[in-house]
Amino acid sequence: MFLKKIQIIALFMFAVAGNHVFAQNIITIPIETRENALVMQTDADNHLFIIYFGKKLSQTSEYQSIPAQSTQHDDNSGIHNSAYTPSGTWSISEPALQVTHADGNKSSDLVYVSHKTTKENDNISVTSIILKDPVYQVEVTLFYKIYSNENVIEQWSNIHSDEKSEIILQKYASSNLYFIAKDYYLTHYNGTWAREMQPEEEQLTAGIRVLDSKLGTRANLFQPPSFLLSFDKPASETEGKVLLGTLAWSGNFRMDFEVDSYHNLRLIAGINNYASEYPLASKQDFKTPSFIYTYSENGKGEASRNLHNWARRYRILDGEGSRLTLLNNWEATYFDFNEEKLSALFKDGKKLGVDLFLLDDGWFANKYQRNNDKAGLGDWQENVKKLPNGIGHLVKEATNTGIKFGIWVEPEMVNPKSELYEKHPDWVIKQPARPEHYMRNQLPLDLSNPEVQNFVFGVIDKLFTENPAIAYIKWDCNAITFNAYSPYLEKSKQKQSQLYVDYVRGLYKVLEKLRAKYPKVPMMLCSGGGGRVDYEALKYFTEFWPSDNTDPMERIFMQWEYSYFFPALAQSNHVTDWGKQPLKFRTDVAMMGKLGYDIVISHLNEKDLQFSKQAVSTYNSIKDIVWHGDLFRLVDPKKNDYAALMFSSKDKKRAVLFSYLVNNRYEAGSDVPFRLQGLEASKKYRIKELNLYPETKTAIKEDQTYSGDYLMTVGFNPMVNTRRTSVIMEIMEAQ
């Protein structure tokens, strides 16, 4: 599969006839990873087009001849395959760039000026391509950061104006791609609170399919900025051409998938331009967020492993490091706790064997006490009734018990019933002439305001300054943006249309400042569940909370879908009392990522406690493979009675297999073996069942050895059924 240039007739005449006058003007720019290539080429008028996307050719010089193979003359419908489509001139396609110039003119054109490639190291290089409007003093630089071994491209644009006065950016995409295939199949996701990452696959047809968010904060609530795109036919885990794409932006996003009149596909991704016309002053720059993508011709599994390897190595904070197991008090106490209750939970955490205790919502506010979600948010002083000795006392007591201490915050938000709201109503996002509208009884603070940025930073900084031993932060964000209006932008005579963009930029300023001062403290990115996770936020966070829905049956499906885009060490999975499944099932599901607990340990019976303590120990023995190994999804729960996936170490000496029953109908289960992946065919392996509940025996013959060839060709049956609803197996090279 490749992308080609739909050229003007003159250029096709050149390609066939070999016109040497034109040939001097034609520039071909290959953007290559280890296995793939995106290739652009100029025409005789110096417009830049995408001519190829797909598997890398062995002879780079052959890219330049690709346009000559096309007979699609684009005479009447405008040029579709622009590398960055301008608006208002020669293209009638959906634009990547839409500008109102200083004189009011709304047309733009972009021609090639120059390009260069800078090599950062043996694996990373950055190609920058400068395009310029031949009439107006507007310049766009396209950046392509190549991670060769991971087959990942990170793409963004920088828009610069030298016009005498302000211009208005009406659309400003990060990426503009072009594909040719027989057909296109888009997998995207929808949902809401407790129903995140619900997948849908559809065949794209003529016209534009838009994925977008207009929520401001918690922007991923209904739809995340991530997708899978299959070419020719729907891709499987091991077969098919597929692109995984995701936008690294924590606010409103938009992705346009446009099937043009030639049945070729245009993709434009970036910040949502809805209500977001952005002024750009003379001599200023506007940098768009990164659009990150990887391509594979060997199915979804390889593509997701590409992305995982890239994310752990280059993007997620401490992505190649370790994580803390924790005990959270939320479902044990909700808002009803005091120092005595918490002290008992510290001891429970120590008894269980976890690393950390996490104190959740409800520890703050006095005038309007935080005894429910209706009051106190924004007043970040310890509640003297619940915690008369303060956070410092809790930190010391946890430390003395032999466990670390972490704490929940939601510093971007405020309850109207709070001292902060009374003192600073001008810090709140709300329309002055309309009734306030709440989500979880709260409103966002205006992070476009530098004073608010300082306040939010100060909330965390004060906690760390007064309590340096705090070892973990859970950062929540539970409301979207209604009635978008910034008193700060109004007062400073800036445009209200900047708010959605400037809010996110303000958030990043706070996080950058925090990480400069506290570079290593683990932080969970939470937003009423997975309402915000993206690869820009994960520069600052070690992990994210996929969903408030911790029912393990639901989590099997959610975690499966999240795993296409995010590695397991970034997913926080807690054992809770949600669901009807036994404790072993709930624990086994949570062990597929970063394990945590949110249960009352003192309520466990003797066997449950014995099992849970052993489960933490078992998890500690396999967590490195789960966090840093290669993931192989083997049996899809959406299509089968059971699910199975495995993590394999890079040296293929050890693997961990997880399998779960997802259908309780008569005789449901794994009645035949399924093929494993990620092993070495020539190696011999033993298989051992882990995490057995006390006084139960395995159905696996643990004294038998198998070749990797056997396990990957014939397969293995973990014997999942209604009596063995969850199974974890360790696959070890036989010595």
Side-chain angles (χ1 to χ4, degrees):
M1 186 210 68
F2 61 82
L3 285 173
K4 59 92 187 74
K5 176 181 179 182
I6 304 175
Q7 292 189 308
I8 58 174
I9 295 177
L11 184 54
F12 283 109
M13 293 174 61
F14 147 70
V16 175
N19 187 316
H20 296 293
V21 175
F22 281 2
Q24 294 175 1
N25 298 325
I26 304 303
I27 295 171
T28 304
I29 308 172
I31 308 292
E32 294 182 319
T33 67
R34 187 184 71 239
E35 296 176 352
N36 306 318
L38 163 67
V39 185
M40 288 164 282
Q41 191 177 82
T42 60
D43 67 3
D45 297 320
N46 275 339
H47 289 123
L48 184 68
F49 301 97
I50 296 172
I51 63 169
Y52 182 84
F53 187 102
K55 184 178 179 181
K56 181 170 70 174
L57 300 183
S58 58
Q59 300 295 320
T60 304
S61 60
E62 291 190 314
Y63 290 126
Q64 63 186 0
S65 65
I66 290 173
Q69 301 296 320
S70 176
T71 59
Q72 293 182 352
H73 294 179
D74 196 14
D75 299 335
N76 301 313
S77 56
I79 304 299
H80 291 311
N81 62 323
S82 170
Y84 199 74
T85 310
S87 173
T89 49
W90 46 272
S91 176
I92 60 170
S93 301
E94 182 67 26
L97 178 71
Q98 191 172 2
V99 174
T100 299
H101 296 282
D103 64 359
N105 192 300
K106 293 182 178 294
S107 69
S108 295
D109 193 5
L110 294 172
V111 296
Y112 169 85
V113 176
S114 65
H115 77 280
K116 66 179 181 179
T117 298
T118 304
K119 193 172 183 179
E120 293 189 5
N121 54 45
D122 289 340
N123 190 45
I124 302 174
S125 62
V126 179
T127 296
S128 57
I129 306 172
I130 297 176
L131 308 175
K132 191 170 183 179
D133 192 309
V135 175
Y136 290 90
Q137 296 299 304
V138 173
E139 185 177 276
V140 177
T141 304
L142 307 180
F143 290 91
Y144 302 83
K145 191 169 187 177
I146 297 94
Y147 302 85
S148 182
N149 291 334
E150 293 77 19
N151 290 304
V152 167
I153 297 176
E154 182 180 0
Q155 183 176 345
W156 69 94
S157 59
N158 188 80
I159 304 165
H160 178 83
S161 173
D162 280 326
E163 294 194 29
K164 292 182 179 179
S165 57
E166 180 180 274
I167 68 172
I168 302 296
L169 304 180
Q170 294 168 297
K171 194 169 185 181
Y172 31 90
S174 298
S175 180
N176 189 164
L177 296 174
Y178 196 70
F179 312 95
I180 289 180
K182 180 177 179 293
D183 288 302
Y184 313 94
Y185 295 86
L186 175 66
T187 301
H188 55 99
Y189 299 88
N190 64 75
T192 184
W193 180 82
R195 293 192 69 253
E196 290 85 353
M197 293 300 285
Q198 304 296 311
E200 292 187 12
E201 184 173 65
E202 62 180 288
Q203 184 174 353
L204 295 174
T205 56
I208 300 179
R209 179 68 166 93
V210 177
L211 307 181
D212 76 336
S213 171
K214 304 180 183 72
L215 305 181
T217 50
R218 198 177 174 183
N220 301 3
L221 176 60
F222 301 136
Q223 186 164 266
S226 303
F227 65 87
L228 296 92
L229 185 63
S230 299
F231 303 97
D232 299 330
K233 61 181 181 180
S236 71
E237 289 293 323
T238 57
E239 295 181 336
K241 302 170 183 176
V242 62
L243 181 141
L244 268 65
T246 186
L247 186 71
W249 180 248
S250 306
N252 295 348
F253 60 86
R254 173 169 170 161
M255 298 176 184
D256 301 308
F257 298 83
E258 181 178 11
V259 177
D260 66 22
S261 54
Y262 296 102
H263 195 67
N264 303 325
L265 178 64
R266 308 175 70 248
L267 167 60
I268 296 174
I271 295 173
N272 197 334
N273 57 322
Y274 164 78
S276 296
E277 291 188 340
Y278 206 90
L280 186 61
S282 182
K283 310 298 181 183
Q284 297 298 307
D285 294 270
F286 185 97
K287 181 184 177 183
T288 69
S290 296
F291 178 64
I292 298 156
Y293 52 98
T294 184
Y295 172 76
S296 170
E297 297 203 340
N298 300 305
K300 297 183 286 188
E302 181 180 88
S304 68
R305 289 188 291 277
N306 287 344
L307 203 55
H308 294 175
N309 288 332
W310 167 82
R312 285 189 295 253
R313 187 174 181 186
Y314 296 110
R315 185 52 57 97
I316 298 172
L317 185 67
D318 197 22
E320 296 184 299
S322 62
R323 296 294 186 269
L324 298 170
T325 56
L326 62 82
L327 174 65
N328 192 4
N329 73 301
W330 179 244
E331 293 192 19
T333 67
Y334 295 97
F335 294 98
D336 182 19
F337 57 82
N338 54 34
E339 289 179 351
E340 184 178 356
K341 284 186 179 180
L342 296 179
S343 295
L345 293 176
F346 297 162
K347 295 180 177 67
D348 286 344
K350 178 63 176 177
K351 182 190 303 181
L352 187 60
V354 298
D355 304 308
L356 174 90
F357 174 82
L358 173 63
L359 175 59
D360 215 291
D361 194 357
W363 58 267
F364 52 90
N366 288 292
K367 180 179 178 180
Y368 302 105
Q369 295 184 29
R370 184 70 169 173
N371 295 322
N372 51 50
D373 64 14
K374 297 179 180 179
L377 193 60
D379 300 342
W380 297 102
Q381 67 282 103
E382 295 99 326
N383 179 274
V384 296
K385 185 176 180 181
K386 295 179 184 178
L387 308 177
N389 296 300
I391 294 296
H393 171 76
L394 296 178
V395 175
K396 289 177 183 177
E397 189 159 350
T399 303
N400 291 337
T401 307
I403 194 169
K404 296 181 179 180
F405 182 87
I407 196 165
W408 177 97
V409 293
E410 192 176 4
E412 300 167 67
M413 300 286 162
V414 64
N415 286 129
K417 194 174 182 180
S418 68
E419 292 183 85
L420 179 65
Y421 185 91
E422 290 176 343
K423 184 178 180 181
H424 287 292
D426 56 319
W427 283 9
V428 181
I429 293 176
K430 58 175 184 173
Q431 286 281 350
R434 297 190 184 278
E436 293 175 2
H437 190 71
Y438 310 126
M439 186 172 189
R440 203 178 183 244
N441 303 297
Q442 62 194 56
L443 295 166
L445 296 174
D446 181 6
L447 275 174
S448 72
N449 185 339
E451 284 188 286
V452 176
Q453 295 168 24
N454 290 336
F455 169 80
V456 172
F457 170 81
V459 171
I460 313 299
D461 187 46
K462 183 174 183 287
L463 281 169
F464 282 134
T465 300
E466 295 179 353
N467 310 284
I470 286 178
Y472 188 89
I473 294 289
K474 178 182 177 182
W475 184 302
D476 216 338
C477 172
N478 282 298
I480 64 176
T481 303
F482 298 112
N483 291 325
Y485 179 89
S486 166
Y488 167 76
L489 291 175
E490 189 69 28
K491 184 178 179 180
S492 57
K493 301 188 184 305
Q494 300 182 65
K495 291 182 168 58
Q496 288 296 326
S497 60
Q498 296 176 228
L499 177 57
Y500 284 126
V501 174
D502 285 357
Y503 182 97
V504 181
R505 287 178 166 179
L507 173 64
Y508 293 156
K509 286 179 181 178
V510 172
L511 293 170
E512 286 167 9
K513 191 175 178 181
L514 274 173
R515 281 310 179 191
K517 190 169 183 181
Y518 308 103
K520 296 184 179 296
V521 178
M523 292 205 306
M524 179 203 292
L525 177 65
C526 182
S527 194
R532 183 184 256 173
V533 60
D534 65 84
Y535 274 122
E536 191 66 22
L538 284 173
K539 284 182 178 180
Y540 311 104
F541 291 85
T542 49
E543 59 222 56
F544 71 95
W545 183 236
S547 177
D548 282 347
N549 186 342
T550 53
D551 183 317
M553 188 63 69
E554 297 295 330
R555 276 298 190 106
I556 289 170
F557 292 85
M558 288 183 191
Q559 290 166 204
W560 184 280
E561 301 303 332
Y562 273 119
S563 76
Y564 285 109
F565 306 99
F566 304 104
L569 94 164
Q571 296 189 43
S572 294
N573 305 332
H574 290 184
V575 181
T576 74
D577 290 328
W578 280 52
K580 300 177 181 179
Q581 294 75 22
L583 179 63
K584 172 176 163 52
F585 190 101
R586 288 178 273 143
T587 305
D588 287 354
V589 172
M591 288 170 72
M592 285 194 296
K594 205 224 75 169
L595 177 66
Y597 286 82
D598 204 338
I599 57 178
V600 184
I601 304 301
S602 61
H603 290 180
L604 298 177
N605 63 40
E606 183 179 349
K607 286 185 180 180
D608 281 353
L609 178 59
Q610 180 186 346
F611 168 76
S612 296
K613 291 169 68 174
Q614 185 57 46
V616 173
S617 178
T618 299
Y619 180 74
N620 288 337
S621 73
I622 64 170
K623 63 187 181 183
D624 187 63
I625 300 173
V626 174
W627 295 345
H628 303 116
D630 290 325
L631 171 62
F632 298 88
R633 288 171 293 269
L634 305 176
V635 181
D636 190 339
K638 300 187 297 296
K639 301 176 182 178
N640 298 276
D641 291 337
Y642 63 102
L645 54 79
M646 65 182 283
F647 298 89
S648 178
S649 63
K650 297 293 186 182
D651 60 10
K652 300 184 179 181
K653 291 183 178 181
R654 193 175 175 214
V656 181
L657 174 71
F658 296 86
S659 190
Y660 311 97
L661 187 71
V662 297
N663 185 343
N664 286 319
R665 297 192 67 181
Y666 179 68
E667 291 191 342
S670 57
D671 54 350
V672 295
F674 53 84
R675 294 176 180 178
L676 308 190
Q677 298 177 46
L679 303 176
E680 184 71 50
S682 61
K683 290 184 185 297
K684 291 284 189 178
Y685 296 93
R686 292 187 186 277
I687 298 178
K688 178 183 179 181
E689 185 168 355
L690 304 177
N691 230 34
L692 287 164
Y693 193 79
E695 300 179 11
T696 61
K697 295 182 179 180
T698 180
I700 307 300
K701 294 181 179 179
E702 296 184 345
D703 59 346
Q704 189 169 344
T705 61
Y706 307 85
S707 69
D709 180 47
Y710 178 94
L711 293 172
M712 293 190 294
T713 304
V714 175
F716 189 85
N717 187 346
M719 306 297 178
V720 177
N721 53 52
T722 53
R723 295 173 302 283
R724 279 169 52 84
T725 56
S726 64
V727 176
I728 301 178
M729 301 189 310
E730 181 181 37
I731 304 164
M732 288 281 291
E733 182 181 10
Q735 299 300 319

